[in-house]
Amino acid sequence: MASSSDYGFGPFQYPRGWFMIGAADQVMDRPVPVRYFGEDLVLYRGESGRAYLVSAYCPHMGAHLANNATSYIMRDGDQIQGESIRCPFHGWRYGSDGKCNDIPYSDFIPGTARLKTYHLVERAGILWVWHDPEGLEPDYVLPDFGGHYDQAGWVNWKIDHLGDIDIHGCEIVDNMADLGHMSPIHGAERCIYFANRFDGHVVHQLFTAVNRGWGNLPPTLSQLDTWYTGPGILQSDMNSHLPVFMLVAHTPIEDGRTRVWHATMVRMSDGSGPLSDEERHVASTYQDQLRDGLVQDVEIWANKRSSIHLLTVPADGPYGRLRNWYKQFYNERDKVANIQSRVNGTVVTLDQSSTLKGGEAA
């Protein structure tokens, strides 16, 4: 299992960016222990319904805020008060700003009685956290995921946890430059166009192919615009048998161990009326088929060795440029513009668009 330092990306062990930390319904009426970025953390909802993410251990004597079921604070349902959370050991209470605001047996509250807090946003049924080793505010916005969530005509995504795997995130992102795996892994019978566009904190993969059919579906021309926003959020607009918006999110648990999710929204109508049970069933089946396609990637990732030094050929795609783009998230904010200026632009790896037949053009 390779660490960030093995790849020589920069001084940070964990990258800067927006990351998924779970489905919104993962945290409801009780605090939930989670671990990301090498830290034990706690998710909880205040009485307003807003979710918060804080460090897991009480500064007083180190008790875990969520891993407890027997304290009377827990049994009596007194742990969440307003937007604050109480420690189950001695009842010290911490506000959403992380500061201790009540000690049941003391009027004196030490200034160092504080939990680390994180910038958490709930969007499209998912909990997203901003992580920055420098402790700075976001330098790019969290995506709106096409604006499709809860929109008429679209079936919302169901979120699939695809595993915790011993792989560095960069080797997941490598797929963006990987033309060669499109046939053996994703069933492209004929690759027609493959390009990467690097634009600041975003990198696109533009791909056109004739894909083999799934289930009862025949082979069809598929056109995809797939892009990473930062190091951990992949989105894809797919036009194939049905219009699809796909998400692949991955987040470091430890340096070199990564949690991976998949989710897909499917457009089944123009939104002029309610969706039928049959349309929802078709969308669910399609979502499962797309998930199974990503599972093919995950099986490779889970069983490959680390590729710190890649052995590539020109037809593979611009792996080196992609990894240089990825470096920006492991470096200080004041170095980002220089890194981006050296990689921005478009690389076309394959262009056989002239071979498209008239009936195939989308």
Side-chain angles (χ1 to χ4, degrees):
M1 183 170 71
S3 67
S4 295
S5 60
D6 293 325
Y7 296 91
F9 289 133
F12 300 153
Q13 184 179 26
Y14 296 99
R16 176 183 64 258
W18 287 102
F19 293 93
M20 179 175 173
I21 59 167
D25 60 7
Q26 177 182 344
V27 54
M28 301 304 288
D29 58 342
R30 293 182 66 87
V32 177
V34 295
R35 184 171 176 85
Y36 294 106
F37 314 111
E39 297 184 59
D40 290 324
L41 307 167
V42 168
L43 274 166
Y44 75 93
R45 287 192 185 275
E47 292 181 359
S48 70
R50 181 175 175 180
Y52 301 97
L53 182 69
V54 298
S55 52
Y57 299 106
C58 178
H60 175 217
M61 293 183 67
H64 197 289
L65 298 179
N67 284 334
N68 186 283
T70 57
S71 163
Y72 282 110
I73 288 173
M74 311 296 281
R75 290 178 175 180
D76 295 342
D78 290 335
Q79 192 180 28
I80 304 300
Q81 297 180 337
E83 304 306 289
S84 299
I85 183 170
R86 282 197 183 274
C87 172
F89 194 9
H90 295 92
W92 290 31
R93 189 179 69 191
Y94 298 88
S96 59
D97 59 0
K99 296 179 182 179
C100 182
N101 55 34
D102 181 65
I103 300 175
Y105 53 89
S106 174
D107 292 330
F108 171 70
I109 299 177
T112 54
R114 172 190 291 267
L115 302 173
K116 184 178 180 181
T117 61
Y118 292 81
H119 187 158
L120 187 69
V121 174
E122 187 171 337
R123 182 170 297 171
I126 294 172
L127 297 170
W128 304 94
V129 67
W130 173 257
H131 179 265
D132 189 336
E134 295 179 279
L136 301 176
E137 289 299 305
D139 58 351
Y140 63 89
V141 299
L142 179 66
D144 68 357
F145 307 104
H148 304 313
Y149 192 80
D150 278 343
Q151 291 302 301
W154 285 84
V155 175
N156 284 346
W157 46 36
K158 49 185 178 181
I159 299 165
D160 303 302
H161 173 218
L162 298 186
D164 300 342
I165 54 179
D166 291 330
I167 188 173
H168 194 281
C170 77
E171 304 213 22
I172 295 175
V173 176
D174 278 344
N175 270 29
M176 291 294 285
D178 192 351
L179 171 61
H181 87 298
M182 290 299 189
S183 293
I185 297 298
H186 297 303
E189 292 188 342
R190 180 159 62 98
C191 297
I192 297 165
Y193 186 82
F194 188 94
N196 293 111
R197 185 171 72 243
F198 300 87
D199 184 11
H201 65 276
V202 177
V203 58
H204 285 258
Q205 178 197 88
L206 307 171
F207 180 55
T208 302
V210 176
N211 283 340
R212 67 171 65 190
W214 298 325
N216 297 324
L217 298 174
T220 187
L221 180 73
S222 299
Q223 293 183 311
L224 291 81
D225 180 2
T226 302
W227 66 99
Y228 265 95
T229 301
I233 302 176
L234 177 147
Q235 301 167 84
S236 185
D237 268 322
M238 305 172 62
N239 286 298
S240 184
H241 296 96
L242 293 167
V244 164
F245 191 88
M246 185 175 71
L247 168 74
V248 180
H250 68 269
T251 303
I253 302 170
E254 311 288 348
D255 190 6
R257 184 166 178 81
T258 305
R259 180 162 294 161
V260 184
W261 296 269
H262 166 269
T264 300
M265 289 185 280
V266 184
R267 186 179 180 185
M268 295 302 302
S269 76
D270 61 6
S272 58
L275 295 175
S276 67
D277 290 344
E278 175 62 21
E279 287 174 318
R280 292 188 181 278
H281 174 73
V282 169
S284 180
T285 300
Y286 204 53
Q287 288 169 328
D288 289 345
Q289 290 170 335
L290 290 168
R291 177 205 60 213
D292 291 346
L294 185 63
V295 166
Q296 294 174 287
D297 280 313
V298 173
E299 184 180 23
I300 296 291
W301 296 332
N303 293 286
K304 73 190 296 293
R305 70 177 184 183
S306 300
S307 296
I308 296 170
H309 304 291
L310 298 170
L311 176 62
T312 65
V313 296
D316 275 324
Y319 287 115
R321 191 162 177 172
L322 179 63
R323 286 197 173 184
N324 283 330
W325 171 86
Y326 190 77
K327 283 182 181 180
Q328 66 181 288
F329 307 109
Y330 287 83
N331 279 270
E332 296 91 342
R333 194 79 63 94
D334 60 6
K335 295 182 179 178
V336 169
N338 179 259
I339 295 172
Q340 292 176 349
S341 69
R342 289 187 281 111
V343 300
N344 282 348
T346 300
V347 179
V348 178
T349 301
L350 174 73
D351 188 356
Q352 295 184 353
S353 302
S354 61
T355 67
L356 277 173
K357 299 175 184 178
E360 292 180 319

